[in-house]
Amino acid sequence: MIKIISENVYNSKKNEFDIIFTDQISNDKKAIKINNPKDLYFNLNKVKSTSNIGLYIKKEKYINNYYQLLYFYQNYIDKVKLFKKEIKKLNKTFSQEDHRLVNDAINKLQYMNCDGKYLRAFLITLGYQLKNDNINYVIPLALAYETFQTSILIHDDIIDNSNTRRGKKTIHEIYKKELNIKDNTPLSLALCIGDLGFYLTNDILFKNYKNDPQLIKILEYLNKVIINTIKGEIIDVYLPTLEKINNKGRFTERDVMETSRLKTSWYTVVGPFCLGAIAANVSESKIKDYEKMLEPMGMAFQVRDDILGIFGSSDTTGKSNLTDIEENKLTIMYSYLKLIKVNYYDEFIKYYGKENITEEQAEIVRDLIMRSGALDYAEGTIVELLDLSKEDIVKLKNKHIKDTLLGLMEYIRLREK
């Protein structure tokens, strides 16, 4: 576990620190100079789970941002190491003495069911820590949820016709190459593998919690999360097509935000945290409070995702930064251009939503988003949404949960993948 030994240190001649973050010039070779939370975010990859950290902070206004981001990260990377190890064990349990083609399909599911961010698994363990610090019991639930996520992403990749996911080829693309065929077989096989993953998720839960009195509540809530996610996906798929058919339709910013609430907020933040809390036998009234508290944070996560989908580096995000443009993804930036800065919109839609867009054309799209103020508007929306969640998070009595969630908010605000 990372240790934040001091928040006011200039050098480490006594070698008590592995890493020092400082916003002043230091002669210490271990010091990493930072001037703001963004600098700290970009240096998080230098932090290991065993790091001792000293902070020398000149700008007091950033002290809480630094501390909370590090507090979240120190807990997060420690759990990720555990999840990576445990998911390998879980994947092996999927192997059966089945037909060779089924075994091949299972191998492809195993191939995709790793290398994720494990943020959702982490949030399940965090929700469980509301009443129980021993997270071992809830690890199977966290891994089951990761398997569910992998499965729904396989379907999402089919819908979006995505070539890459988690920095590697999507399953339907692998089948296309293997079969060298142009019909729907690769898509159909990927669809089946996604379906298989859904029911393996249930199998993990039944095997590990069949004697748990909370199992029915866990399954009921997971079902609620899945239903909300699919509702959001329906809107997300349908709206862009309606826009293409009738560009003068009834599209509103609320449509975009409702998609973010249902599709991303529930399955990325609200659902995992509350599932962990339910496993810990937290009361139903408290679950409602946590849903209200976390929904805006999850929506902010999606707005950041939409920005990264266009402006992010493919090498960092693990997926193309052209896909959202080509599929006419309706984001808050799109709604701002269409409904607010209409004088930019006609030029914008010459390229946005066009298939096989070139990098030069994508740069025109990015430039229009920036010049119109749509990017700044999206960034401002992230801040507003996170502030809504913060109003309730700061009232939490559990300091560990509070500081971790505040750090996660900072991570969402700054994240690049």
Side-chain angles (χ1 to χ4, degrees), residues 227-257:
I227 288 171
N228 279 341
T229 303
I230 295 171
K231 285 179 179 178
E233 184 73 0
I234 289 170
I235 300 171
D236 199 28
V237 171
Y238 205 173
L239 268 182
T241 300
L242 289 179
E243 278 290 280
K244 286 182 179 180
I245 294 171
N246 180 11
N247 192 251
K248 296 180 180 179
R250 295 164 49 193
F251 171 76
T252 66
E253 184 179 302
R254 184 179 177 278
D255 294 324
V256 174
M257 300 314 291

Side-chain angles (χ1 to χ4, degrees), residues 264-407:
T264 303
S265 187
W266 268 82
Y267 114 89
T268 299
V269 179
V270 176
F273 185 87
C274 290
L275 275 170
I278 289 168
N281 200 22
V282 170
S283 70
E284 188 173 339
S285 62
K286 281 290 184 183
I287 295 297
K288 294 291 182 186
D289 291 340
Y290 296 136
E291 290 172 353
K292 173 181 172 292
M293 177 181 77
L294 295 174
E295 259 193 4
M297 185 194 296
M299 293 164 72
F301 187 97
Q302 180 59 57
V303 177
R304 171 61 65 209
D305 216 45
D306 291 339
I307 293 172
L308 293 176
I310 295 175
F311 291 92
S313 164
S314 299
D315 291 338
T316 302
T317 62
K319 52 187 178 182
S320 171
N321 58 8
L322 301 179
T323 302
D324 284 3
I325 298 174
E326 290 179 333
E327 70 178 39
N328 200 46
K329 187 172 177 62
L330 301 191
T331 68
I332 197 168
M333 294 174 287
Y334 177 94
S335 68
Y336 184 82
L337 275 156
K338 180 174 183 180
L339 304 174
I340 309 284
K341 292 298 181 77
V342 293
N343 52 315
Y344 290 88
Y345 183 69
D346 287 342
E347 179 71 12
F348 177 71
I349 59 171
K350 287 181 182 178
Y351 309 103
Y352 200 77
K354 305 301 180 186
E355 294 181 3
N356 301 317
I357 191 169
T358 66
E359 182 56 42
E360 290 76 17
Q361 291 170 332
E363 277 302 314
I364 294 173
V365 169
R366 295 179 189 117
D367 180 63
L368 287 167
I369 291 172
M370 289 189 289
R371 284 196 290 114
S372 67
L375 179 59
D376 289 339
Y377 183 73
E379 293 283 2
T381 300
I382 290 173
V383 173
E384 290 176 7
L385 288 167
L386 291 177
D387 282 346
L388 282 174
S389 284
K390 187 175 182 179
E391 289 177 8
D392 291 323
I393 291 172
V394 294
K395 298 173 186 176
L396 294 174
K397 294 179 181 178
N398 186 313
K399 190 174 186 304
H400 168 64
I401 305 294
K402 177 170 67 176
D403 287 345
T404 304
L405 288 175
L406 289 172

Side-chain angles (χ1 to χ4, degrees), residues 83-139:
F83 296 142
K84 285 183 176 180
K85 180 174 136 185
E86 293 299 319
I87 203 85
K88 287 181 180 178
K89 295 180 185 175
L90 174 70
N91 282 337
K92 289 179 181 178
T93 68
F94 297 160
S95 299
Q96 305 288 335
E97 292 297 326
D98 281 310
H99 189 282
R100 68 184 187 284
L101 298 181
V102 176
N103 287 334
D104 179 70
I106 290 173
N107 288 337
K108 287 179 171 59
L109 177 62
Q110 293 168 330
Y111 152 86
M112 191 56 72
N113 196 36
C114 56
D115 300 323
K117 292 187 285 287
Y118 298 103
L119 176 61
R120 295 157 187 84
F122 172 74
L123 284 171
I124 286 177
T125 62
L126 188 66
Y128 191 69
Q129 286 178 310
L130 285 164
K131 294 183 73 172
N132 195 327
D133 285 332
N134 183 2
I135 65 166
N136 289 334
Y137 187 67
V138 82
I139 292 297

Side-chain angles (χ1 to χ4, degrees), residues 164-177:
T164 56
R165 170 71 67 178
R166 294 172 173 171
K168 48 195 178 183
K169 282 189 177 295
T170 52
I171 288 178
H172 65 270
E173 282 297 317
I174 294 173
Y175 273 124
K176 281 182 185 179
K177 184 176 180 180

